Amino acid sequence: MDAFQGLIYGFGVVLSGSNLISCFLGVLVGTIVGVLPGIGPIGAMALLIPSTYSLGPTSALIMLSGIFYGAMYGGSTTSILVNVPGEAASVVTTIDGYQMARKGRGGAALAIAAVGSFVAGTLGLVGLMLFAPPLASLALEFGPPEYFSLTLLGLIFLSRIGSSSALKSFLMVGFGLLLGTIGMDAISGVPRFTFGSLELGQGVELVPVAMGLYGIGEVLIIAERITGIPELIKVKFRELFPTLAEWRKAFPPMMRGASLGFFLGLIPGPAAILSTFASYALEKKLSKHPEEFGQGAVEGVAGPESANNSATAGSMVPLLALGIPFAPPTALLLGALTIHGVQPGPLLMAKHPEVFWGVVASMYIGNAVLLILNLPLVGIFASILRLPQHMLMGMILLLCLVGTYSINNSFLDIYILLGMGVVGYILRKLDFDMAPLILAVVLGPILEKTLRQSLFYARGDAWALFGRPYTAFLLSIGLILIILPPLVRRLRRI
Amino acid sequence: MPRALPLTFLSFALLGGAYLAESLSLSRGTVEQPGAGLFPVLVGIFILSLSIPGLAASLKAGEDRDLHQGVFPRGKDLRRVVTIALSVLLFTVLLQPLGYGICSAFLMGAVFRLLGMRSWGKAAAAAILTALVSYFFFISLEIPLPRGSLFS
């Protein structure tokens, strides 16, 4: 079916059964976690994966992706009203959004952020519909060597552009790969690093690792300081209408942010975060009045808020078309789909069209719901910030513990959760980036399987492995990414 | 914690070394027919090849002392973090014998008291209420919560 037919079919899927409720719940939870500083979309998705077990794969993916893009909307609320970003992709919005609010234009900033998110999210979906099917067709030509190269490139890319040093990021990749090898070997059935434990034979689940790093780790970081309830700038409903001049200023940055965000979403890395910084820098460069940036420039809100939403749609392309996640949130989506017995990749559209088109259509509906949720109801969401810190942290802890236990009714999983929480706390304090670790836990088994299959097919012939055009191209990029940055640094010193 | 970064790299080096040693006991197979040990051996070498230079660099440059001084909390703040981590550990250990109800009430009581509630009485009341509400919430989601082996 073509894109239009697929979309119509997708709307039929979303509007039937529990999918519409899942979509609504997903974007609602996404908005709430976006508003709340401390728990981001990754933590929330990890927390809610166990609750999707009773749902079908389509409903589960609709709900979890709703949290992912919903958090991008919610994050702007606290950035603008409190000067506290709800999640990392809204950090840039604090610069001009909060200044707008201080000047009495908080309502306009919220409206521009919400409309920009809606426009960019919708345009990003058009991009997703246009890019994913041809990419999936191309990926049908891929064999194990191409998948191995692509997976390896994803890990190298993420380590290179992550927030910590390359050495620390690569070490996190190594640690993630190590965790991914624990358990029964999928090909030979040999138990590895299980020390006789039957429970460890099942392997280390993604959920306790992600919940530990992002949930327990975050609780421990927040526990360092007891903070009061932040002061909110109040916005009345009638103030939620930007002036014509503000709309005129906002529209071009929205379009540019949408394009930039989508294309950054296609490449490995924390695209939602990177796209906001890139969009802000671009708008400042293009502006005739760059001195207004930092003082409440409309463009400084419209561009980044559009970019992060479009990036979420972009980052769904490699997941749905290739079956390879390039960022932690999509890695969790892959984990959830695998739990439900659905393998994303080039055959997803043919084998499970209800999942692919259902998710795409749900994102259109979700974006519209988010626009409604985030404008008239902004006061309600902002008031969530009045929840005392101890209540919030207590609830996160219980959700982490029970959520982890509910996967396999396993006490070992809770120990893994706690262990990863402490490890995550220490590593995050020392500037280690957690994203490569999460991605490596998910991609490790794919990397190993494709490497072994490639070696088997090549029968020891290295040229058969690395001489294939796509493989050579992808591995060359990976090699350049490893060699070039230190080389450039050394040359600069000379 | 003035030596946190070298200690972290050292921990990874030890982990990588132990992992590599264990990997070598697995069959690596041949190039044409790779075994279960091949990939772990590569991962072990990868971890060691990063953690040892990282350890050397952090020790040599004294980077840790400059960059990570004051990163970890001290005094009361550190005690609060450690107590919460220990409370979660205690919850985990006691979950099987005592069940969800008692354990969650104790954990919530500790968290509420440590993170802001000044009165023990109010913290205990809020903890019991939270434990009850969460119990019925999780049960409604059909999550089989441990009831406690001591009581069954």
Side-chain angles (χ1 to χ4, degrees):
Chain A
M1 68 180 95
D2 64 26
F4 184 71
Q5 287 172 322
L7 191 62
I8 299 291
Y9 171 71
F11 277 115
V13 172
V14 183
L15 296 173
S16 63
S18 61
N19 294 333
L20 196 60
I21 299 166
S22 298
C23 177
F24 180 77
L25 275 177
V27 296
L28 181 69
V29 173
T31 305
I32 293 170
V33 299
V35 167
L36 288 171
I39 179 163
I42 303 168
M45 286 164 77
L47 283 172
L48 288 175
I49 284 178
S51 72
T52 65
Y53 290 170
S54 55
L55 303 172
T58 311
S59 292
L61 197 64
I62 285 174
M63 191 167 102
L64 293 171
S65 52
I67 297 172
F68 181 26
Y69 60 85
M72 301 301 138
Y73 279 77
S76 59
T77 305
T78 45
S79 295
I80 293 166
L81 298 182
V82 202
N83 201 23
V84 175
E87 40 82 42
S90 301
V91 171
V92 172
T93 312
T94 56
I95 304 171
D96 283 291
Y98 185 65
Q99 289 303 325
M100 281 182 76
R102 285 186 65 188
K103 289 177 181 169
R105 302 303 299 151
L110 286 168
I112 286 167
V115 172
S117 299
F118 173 74
V119 171
T122 310
L123 288 176
L125 283 171
V126 175
L128 169 62
M129 283 168 53
L130 294 176
F131 272 74
L135 190 62
S137 304
L138 179 75
L140 285 172
E141 295 172 27
F142 284 11
E146 284 79 13
Y147 269 103
F148 169 74
S149 319
L150 196 61
T151 312
L152 191 64
L153 179 66
L155 288 171
I156 295 171
F157 220 119
L158 189 65
S159 304
R160 269 289 172 210
I161 59 172
S163 58
S164 61
S165 74
L167 187 125
K168 286 177 175 175
S169 294
F170 280 124
L171 195 55
M172 289 299 93
V173 168
F175 187 37
L177 294 177
L178 179 154
L179 292 174
T181 56
I182 296 172
M184 204 80 83
D185 173 35
I187 295 175
S188 63
V190 174
R192 298 186 297 189
F193 317 106
T194 59
F195 307 104
S197 161
L198 282 176
E199 277 189 286
L200 263 184
Q202 305 290 319
V204 174
E205 295 269 357
L206 172 68
V207 175
V209 174
M211 276 193 190
L213 295 173
Y214 287 95
I216 304 283
E218 193 64 46
V219 169
L220 295 179
I221 287 174
I222 289 174
E224 288 180 0
R225 300 262 180 277
I226 296 177
T227 53
I229 295 163
E231 270 189 40
L232 287 170
I233 294 176
K234 285 185 182 168
V235 173
K236 290 175 184 159
F237 184 74
R238 63 172 180 272
E239 292 169 359
L240 288 171
F241 298 97
T243 61
L244 196 62
E246 283 170 334
W247 279 127
R248 276 193 191 137
K249 277 185 183 176
F251 187 70
M254 280 181 196
M255 294 296 124
R256 285 192 288 268
S259 316
L260 186 69
F262 180 78
F263 286 107
L264 282 175
L266 295 176
I267 58 172
I273 302 164
L274 284 180
S275 65
T276 57
F277 286 96
S279 168
Y280 191 83
L282 179 71
E283 292 312 322
K284 198 172 175 180
K285 195 157 196 157
L286 292 176
S287 174
K288 287 175 186 163
H289 302 284
E291 72 282 358
E292 286 178 5
F293 280 73
Q295 310 296 320
V298 171
E299 299 92 325
V301 175
E305 277 302 316
S306 307
N308 65 19
N309 271 73
S310 189
T312 58
S315 63
M316 297 288 276
V317 174
L319 172 73
L320 296 174
L322 304 173
I324 296 178
F326 282 162
T330 46
L332 286 167
L333 291 177
L334 174 72
L337 275 177
T338 312
I339 289 168
H340 283 91
V342 174
Q343 187 60 49
L347 294 174
L348 180 74
M349 271 172 262
K351 280 187 176 173
H352 298 281
E354 76 287 356
V355 174
F356 179 83
W357 292 110
V359 170
V360 172
S362 80
M363 288 171 83
Y364 279 103
I365 295 171
N367 272 298
V369 172
L370 280 163
L371 190 64
I372 299 164
L373 282 179
N374 279 270
L375 281 178
L377 304 181
V378 70
I380 296 172
F381 287 113
S383 65
I384 294 170
L385 283 171
R386 295 185 196 281
L387 198 68
Q389 190 193 47
H390 57 266
M391 289 296 282
L392 184 64
M393 292 305 115
M395 286 193 299
I396 291 174
L397 272 182
L398 280 187
L399 280 171
C400 285
L401 290 162
V402 177
T404 297
Y405 176 77
S406 69
I407 304 167
N408 298 316
N409 296 343
S410 157
F411 290 97
L412 180 72
D413 281 346
I414 308 185
Y415 284 108
I416 292 172
L417 168 88
L418 179 60
M420 292 313 297
V422 174
V423 167
Y425 168 75
I426 295 169
L427 293 178
R428 283 168 71 177
K429 296 296 288 181
L430 294 170
D431 290 333
F432 283 83
D433 192 359
M434 295 297 103
L437 201 169
I438 292 281
L439 213 60
V441 171
V442 177
L443 294 182
I446 301 174
L447 198 66
E448 180 179 8
K449 190 178 88 178
T450 51
L451 172 69
R452 285 165 70 178
Q453 284 174 338
S454 302
L455 289 170
F456 177 75
Y457 291 134
R459 297 270 163 211
D461 179 7
W463 181 246
L465 193 61
F466 302 115
R468 295 159 72 113
Y470 292 127
T471 314
F473 174 69
L474 294 167
L475 288 177
S476 306
I477 296 175
L479 207 61
I480 291 168
L481 280 171
I482 292 173
I483 295 170
L484 201 61
L487 196 70
V488 169
R489 265 201 305 275
R490 190 159 286 190
L491 285 174
R492 273 187 191 159
R493 266 186 230 148
I494 296 170
Chain B
M1 249 184 258
R3 291 269 166 210
L5 194 60
L7 276 174
T8 306
F9 279 121
L10 179 67
S11 308
F12 275 115
L14 292 173
L15 177 72
Y19 177 81
L20 182 61
E22 182 71 17
S23 307
L24 290 170
S25 67
L26 296 164
S27 158
R28 289 184 296 285
T30 59
V31 178
E32 294 89 354
Q33 195 85 44
L38 177 74
F39 190 71
V41 167
L42 296 176
V43 172
I45 294 169
F46 182 62
I47 293 173
L48 278 176
S49 67
L50 291 165
S51 52
I52 292 172
L55 173 65
S58 62
L59 282 173
K60 194 177 165 188
E63 177 196 18
D64 184 51
R65 205 164 295 170
D66 297 329
L67 282 177
H68 300 290
Q69 194 77 33
V71 160
F72 287 95
R74 285 161 181 256
K76 255 203 285 188
D77 293 335
L78 178 64
R79 273 202 297 278
R80 195 182 311 117
V81 173
V82 173
T83 314
I84 287 186
L86 288 176
S87 305
V88 178
L89 178 65
L90 205 63
F91 171 93
T92 313
V93 172
L94 297 177
L95 187 60
Q96 196 165 19
L98 295 182
Y100 176 79
I102 295 173
C103 288
S104 60
F106 274 111
L107 178 66
M108 288 302 96
V111 171
F112 291 169
R113 181 76 180 89
L114 287 163
L115 290 183
M117 285 186 109
R118 290 184 184 270
S119 152
W120 272 110
K122 278 184 189 170
I128 292 168
L129 189 69
T130 310
L132 271 174
V133 172
S134 66
Y135 178 82
F136 287 111
F137 172 70
F138 291 129
I139 289 290
S140 72
L141 293 176
E142 294 177 16
I143 296 173
L145 296 170
R147 291 187 175 175
S149 53
L150 284 179
F151 307 111
S152 57

